[in-house]
Amino acid sequence: MSSSPSRWIAVIALIVLPLSLLGAEEILETSPQDPYELAWDRLSKLLIIQSIDRFEEAKTADPDRVREAHLGIGIAHLNLQPKSRATIETAAEYLQRVKEVEANDEFGIRARYFLGRIEQIHRYTPDWDKAQDIFNRLHEDHPDHPMGELARVRWATIRLYEPTDRETKAGRFAETEAFRGSFVNSRTRRDYHLLMANAYTHFDHESPESQQLILEHLMAAVDAGIHNRQTLASTYVGIAEMARHVENYPVADEFYGLFLDNFTRDNRVDWVADRRMEIQTYLEDSDDSGTDS
C-alpha cells in the first residue's frame, strides 16, 4: 500500500520552515541586575527601535561593556524595517567592531556568526562563498560552541542548496551525512536533521534510499526536541506519511497517534484519523501472519 508521490511530498513539505526560524540564534541572557537587560529584552521581543535606543543608553551608562552594546545594535539593525542596504551595512560595521577587538570570546563568536548570516541571506546580492568561509572558520575555531555548531549547519545549508550538477549534489549529500552524531547541542542537532530531511525532500525524494533517510532524519529531529508546536505537529504528520509510503506501518500508526493525542484542535485531525484507520487493516494482517495456527 503506497500513497501517491504528490500526496506525501506535499505533506512532508509542510515541515519546511525558514532556517532562520529553526536555528538557535538566541540573544545573550542577562541577569536581573544587568543594566543591559532591558535592551536585550526589547530585542528579544522585536521592539527594534526601542532596543537600539536602550543599547545606546546602556553604552553611555557603562562604557566598559561597549562591545556588548555594539553586538546588540548590530543584530538589531539586521531586523530593522524597512530593510535597506544602509541598515545591513550598519549592522556589518557594528559587528565588525566587536570582532576586531576579540574574535574568539563570547561576543566575538556571535559577531562572526551574524557576519556570516549577512553574507548568506541579508545582502541584496548574497555572497555564499564568503558566507561559507566565515561559517567554516567559525566552526573550525569553536566546534563545540553552540554558534560554532550552528555555523556548520549554515555551511551545510549553502552546500546543499547551491546550484550544482547531479553528481556534485550527490557528493555533497554524502559529505553532510557524515556530520551525523557530531552535534552536541540539541537545538543544533534538531536543525541539522530538519535541514537534511528538507533537502532530500526538495532534491531527491524519489529514491528508496532517500525516502528512508528522510524518515530517519525527521525521527531524529523529534528525538532532539522540537519546541515549536506547529513544526512538531507537521513533523509528526511528515513521519507518519513517509513511514506509510515506505510501508513501515507500525511507525506510521505511532506518529499518526502522537499527532491525534497532542494536536486535537489542528485542522488536519479528521484527515489524519482517516489515514490512521486505513492502515489498521495492514497492521492486523501483519499480526495475523505472525500468529501460530
Side-chain angles (χ1 to χ4, degrees):
M1 171 183 151
S2 204
S3 307
S4 68
S6 60
R7 163 75 79 168
W8 62 261
I9 286 299
V11 173
I12 297 294
L14 291 174
I15 70 163
V16 180
L17 293 176
L19 288 176
S20 60
L21 300 180
L22 298 174
E25 296 179 6
E26 306 88 0
I27 62 170
L28 295 175
E29 294 183 1
T30 53
S31 66
Q33 295 75 33
D34 193 319
Y36 283 70
E37 179 183 8
L38 185 58
W40 287 114
D41 176 73
R42 292 294 184 268
L43 182 54
S44 71
K45 294 174 181 175
L46 295 182
L47 300 172
I48 305 303
I49 299 296
Q50 290 185 29
S51 73
I52 293 173
D53 291 342
R54 294 295 182 272
F55 278 120
E56 291 289 357
E57 292 171 3
K59 182 172 66 172
T60 301
D62 190 355
D64 290 339
R65 295 173 62 185
V66 66
R67 290 178 69 237
E68 183 175 352
H70 286 172
L71 176 66
I73 293 169
I75 296 172
H77 274 83
L78 292 180
N79 293 278
L80 192 60
Q81 298 297 328
K83 184 175 291 189
S84 67
R85 288 181 172 84
T87 59
I88 299 306
E89 193 56 44
T90 298
E93 289 173 0
Y94 274 105
L95 295 170
Q96 191 66 34
R97 289 185 208 175
V98 176
K99 175 193 168 186
E100 285 175 352
V101 174
E102 173 54 64
N104 294 299
D105 67 355
E106 191 65 35
F107 298 140
I109 289 169
R110 290 174 182 269
R112 290 168 66 183
Y113 172 80
F114 282 103
L115 284 167
R117 290 291 275 168
I118 286 174
E119 302 304 334
Q120 181 189 6
I121 64 169
H122 290 289
R123 297 283 190 198
Y124 276 63
T125 304
D127 188 337
W128 279 11
D129 289 339
K130 188 172 182 179
Q132 284 188 94
D133 183 62
I134 293 171
F135 290 140
N136 191 47
R137 289 175 181 272
L138 180 55
H139 180 264
E140 287 180 348
D141 291 344
H142 303 281
D144 296 329
H145 190 283
M147 303 306 283
E149 287 197 340
L150 191 55
R152 172 50 55 97
V153 176
R154 301 307 185 200
W155 180 88
T157 303
I158 296 171
R159 294 284 288 172
L160 292 176
Y161 281 89
E162 188 175 25
T164 61
D165 60 79
R166 188 175 185 82
E167 183 178 353
T168 301
K169 185 75 71 179
R172 291 186 176 185
F173 270 103
E175 179 182 38
T176 50
E177 274 292 341
F179 299 159
R180 277 212 214 196
S182 65
F183 297 106
V184 175
N185 185 278
S186 61
R187 295 184 181 186
T188 313
R189 194 159 62 248
R190 171 204 64 197
D191 288 1
Y192 163 74
H193 287 296
L194 287 175
L195 164 66
M196 296 302 293
N198 292 337
Y200 279 117
T201 301
H202 186 76
F203 291 110
D204 186 26
H205 60 263
E206 295 182 354
S207 73
E209 294 81 6
S210 292
Q211 292 165 9
Q212 182 59 40
L213 287 168
I214 290 170
L215 181 60
E216 291 175 10
H217 281 296
L218 291 178
M219 294 179 71
V222 170
D223 185 62
I226 298 176
H227 303 292
N228 181 285
R229 283 185 59 80
Q230 181 182 356
T231 305
L232 182 61
S234 293
T235 305
Y236 280 167
V237 175
I239 290 170
E241 284 292 287
M242 182 56 75
R244 172 193 179 98
H245 181 76
V246 301
E247 301 183 357
N248 189 337
Y249 300 124
V251 169
D253 181 65
E254 176 187 356
F255 280 88
Y256 284 137
L258 283 170
F259 175 87
L260 294 171
D261 290 343
N262 291 281
F263 300 97
T264 56
R265 297 185 178 183
D266 193 285
N267 59 14
R268 293 166 289 185
V269 163
D270 290 342
W271 176 76
V272 169
D274 289 343
R275 301 289 277 180
R276 192 183 191 191
M277 287 183 62
E278 289 175 12
I279 67 170
Q280 295 303 312
T281 301
Y282 294 87
L283 289 168
E284 291 167 4
D285 289 346
S286 176
D287 290 340
D288 291 343
S289 67
T291 303
D292 293 334
S293 55

